Amino acid sequence: MSTDTVRAEANGLRREQRGWYFYDWACSVYSTSVLTVFLGPYLSSVAKAAADADGYVRPLGIPVRAGSFFAYCVSASVIVSILVMPLVGAAADRTGRKKPLLAACAYVGAAATTGLFFLSGDRYLLGGLLLIVANSSVAVSMVVYNSYLPQIAPPEDRDRVSSRGWAFGYAAGSSMLVVNLALFTAHDSFGLTESTAVRICLASAGLWWGAFTLVPLRRLRDRRTTPSAPAVHGWRQLASTVRDMRTKPLTLSFLLAYLVYNDGIQTVISQASVYGSEELGLSQSTLITAVLMVQVLAVAGALGMGRLARTYGARRTILGSLVAWTVTLAAGYFLPTGAPVWFFVLAAGIGLVLGGSQALSRSLFSHLVPPGKEAEYFSAYEMSDRGMSWLGPLLFGITYQLTGSYRDAIISLVAFFVIGFALLARVPVRQAINDAGNPVPERI
């Protein structure tokens, strides 16, 4: 192979990597502005407006405490994702036509997010439905997005590329939150009610998501394999993938550890604003500022932990981050009511470990995936990513429903980090990479 050919291929990969980063830039605004900041408290207030005298709403006739409705909707979105992700993952691997699938998922999610502008009054069912559609769409799109990583980055470069993608996402979240904070705090100056300002912030995330998705759709390349087959084949291929995963128990062991500890991470992300507003009595402006701090520090954290991984290995760095998560979350239980300074301290601790723990988990898992099965394996991985955890929000919602205390709900999440640490510590990642048929990096 000539030098010019090698140079051209390297330039092509760098172009794809830059385009790939921009999907994190596009969809992370949903995760930040919608799921983390605005929708939890706002949907809870809408549900409370529709609640009966005892504080319950009754979707499908089921009595649900209004304060638990948001958490239950997040869990319900997983059911939809479980039905769709295997089909999309199998189709992506089988045909190689990933861009059309990425586009479809992204624009369905962006449309549902934009539709949150119409969430007002007591329309809690509309809010729940749009949340389920948007949250499922972002999860399914991330299956396709993550499956590009082994194709656009060699093994020794994946920690850097994955970390940079997460950094792009948190930078986007920070940028939009600055605009959201300005609009929300000065809504009177714009002649807007507080509710209208929130609905504009929610809808703007959908518009941002749709607009910036055009960048990866232009730069990423499809690597086609065989013609597409009927959709039912996706379930047969999924069954084959499950059987294949059973022959790679170490990959399964890592996936189990990840699903446990990341369930805790995602639940903290999605429920932190509810905890701050309902339990600690903090204002929406305080919550936005705190989440903005998380986004800024998460950029530095993702890049910094990427550098630590080059020295100590991704596995050790992730284990260290789980210890930090445990300490930070336990401290959150004791935060005093109406004291934003301590909430900011907690937010700083979360921000420093948030981006890195997620980015390194993604890059480490990419080494454990057999070649040619990237999207299918990432469909299992994605069941606890980008707000798609299910057990954590369910436990959070049930704990609050039984005790009426968000403090009890938040402390229950410590178990996810302790158990996840114990499971990950038992995984011999070098052997797992070798068993998957991939080259083992010098430091992992």
Side-chain angles (χ1 to χ4, degrees):
M1 186 178 294
S2 68
T3 303
D4 289 342
T5 302
V6 172
R7 185 180 296 114
E9 289 186 356
N11 289 337
L13 282 181
R14 282 194 293 271
R15 174 181 170 81
E16 284 194 273
Q17 288 172 5
R18 288 191 290 269
W20 188 78
Y21 299 148
F22 265 92
Y23 191 68
D24 250 317
W25 176 275
C27 72
S28 291
V29 168
Y30 163 80
S31 300
T32 303
S33 290
V34 177
L35 197 64
T36 304
V37 178
F38 287 107
L39 189 55
Y42 185 64
L43 182 56
S44 296
S45 69
V46 172
K48 288 178 180 178
D52 59 21
D54 296 323
Y56 286 84
V57 291
R58 286 175 165 75
L60 304 178
I62 303 171
V64 173
R65 191 187 288 266
S68 296
F69 181 71
F70 172 71
Y72 287 153
C73 286
V74 173
S75 290
S77 66
V78 177
I79 298 174
V80 178
S81 301
I82 289 173
L83 294 174
V84 178
M85 283 195 293
L87 294 176
V88 172
D93 286 334
R94 188 172 63 254
T95 68
R97 292 179 55 83
K98 296 181 179 181
K99 285 205 294 185
L101 295 168
L102 179 63
C105 297
Y107 286 109
V108 169
T113 304
T114 305
L116 288 169
F117 178 80
F118 301 101
L119 175 60
S120 61
D122 58 358
R123 299 176 182 172
Y124 76 98
L125 287 176
L126 173 64
L129 176 62
L130 291 175
L131 167 59
I132 290 170
V133 173
N135 221 34
S136 301
S137 296
V138 75
V140 177
S141 72
M142 290 303 295
V143 169
V144 183
Y145 169 71
N146 285 335
S147 71
Y148 275 104
L149 182 58
Q151 297 176 345
I152 65 173
E156 66 276 6
D157 206 28
R158 287 182 200 164
D159 286 346
R160 180 190 66 82
V161 172
S162 182
S163 296
R164 187 164 292 182
W166 277 105
F168 260 62
Y170 286 116
S174 302
S175 301
M176 181 56 84
L177 273 183
V178 170
V179 177
N180 291 159
L181 181 60
L183 175 63
F184 182 83
T185 55
H187 61 267
D188 288 334
S189 302
F190 295 104
L192 302 173
T193 64
E194 182 176 300
S195 172
T196 302
V198 170
R199 291 189 291 118
I200 291 174
C201 292
L202 293 171
S204 66
L207 296 175
W208 176 292
W209 184 0
F212 284 104
T213 295
L214 293 172
V215 179
L217 293 179
R218 286 181 60 86
R219 293 199 171 191
L220 291 171
R221 292 189 296 115
D222 273 342
R223 293 159 172 84
R224 300 187 181 184
T225 53
T226 59
S228 63
V232 70
H233 185 65
W235 291 105
R236 294 173 184 167
Q237 191 163 339
L238 172 64
S240 175
T241 302
V242 171
R243 289 193 296 271
D244 186 67
M245 292 179 77
R246 292 177 62 186
T247 69
K248 297 173 176 59
L250 296 182
T251 298
L252 266 180
S253 296
F254 173 83
L255 182 60
L256 177 61
Y258 171 78
L259 292 177
V260 171
Y261 70 73
N262 200 54
D263 211 300
I265 292 174
Q266 294 302 315
T267 306
V268 172
I269 292 172
S270 65
Q271 305 302 322
S273 289
V274 176
Y275 180 66
S277 63
E278 300 295 328
E279 183 68 35
L280 303 182
L282 302 177
S283 68
Q284 187 75 62
S285 298
T286 298
L287 297 175
I288 297 172
T289 305
V291 174
L292 178 59
M293 177 190 297
V294 169
Q295 300 301 301
V296 172
L297 291 176
V299 175
L303 297 176
M305 287 181 65
R307 292 193 178 95
L308 286 175
R310 289 199 291 272
T311 302
Y312 300 103
R315 176 173 167 273
R316 288 183 179 179
T317 306
I318 295 170
L319 287 171
S321 76
L322 296 183
V323 174
W325 270 107
T326 302
V327 172
T328 302
L329 195 60
Y333 177 83
F334 298 101
L335 288 183
T337 301
V341 172
W342 289 109
F343 192 73
F344 290 145
V345 172
L346 185 74
I350 290 174
L352 289 174
V353 294
L354 175 60
S357 56
Q358 294 175 316
L360 294 178
S361 296
R362 177 170 64 185
S363 61
L364 182 54
F365 184 69
S366 73
H367 293 288
L368 309 182
V369 177
K373 291 185 176 290
E374 292 87 0
E376 287 184 79
Y377 272 60
F378 268 112
S379 70
Y381 176 92
E382 197 61 32
M383 288 180 186
S384 183
D385 200 14
R386 302 279 175 166
M388 287 313 303
S389 57
W390 67 276
L391 186 56
L394 183 62
L395 178 61
F396 188 95
I398 289 175
T399 303
Y400 177 73
Q401 177 134 348
L402 294 177
T403 67
S405 168
Y406 283 108
R407 291 186 188 273
D408 292 339
I410 204 75
I411 199 64
S412 69
L413 303 179
V414 168
F416 290 94
F417 298 100
V418 174
I419 296 172
F421 179 97
L423 293 173
L424 179 59
R426 295 171 58 87
V427 180
V429 292
R430 288 186 174 275
Q431 184 181 340
I433 296 170
N434 187 67
D435 290 350
N438 293 318
V440 181
E442 181 179 348
R443 187 171 296 280
I444 193 68

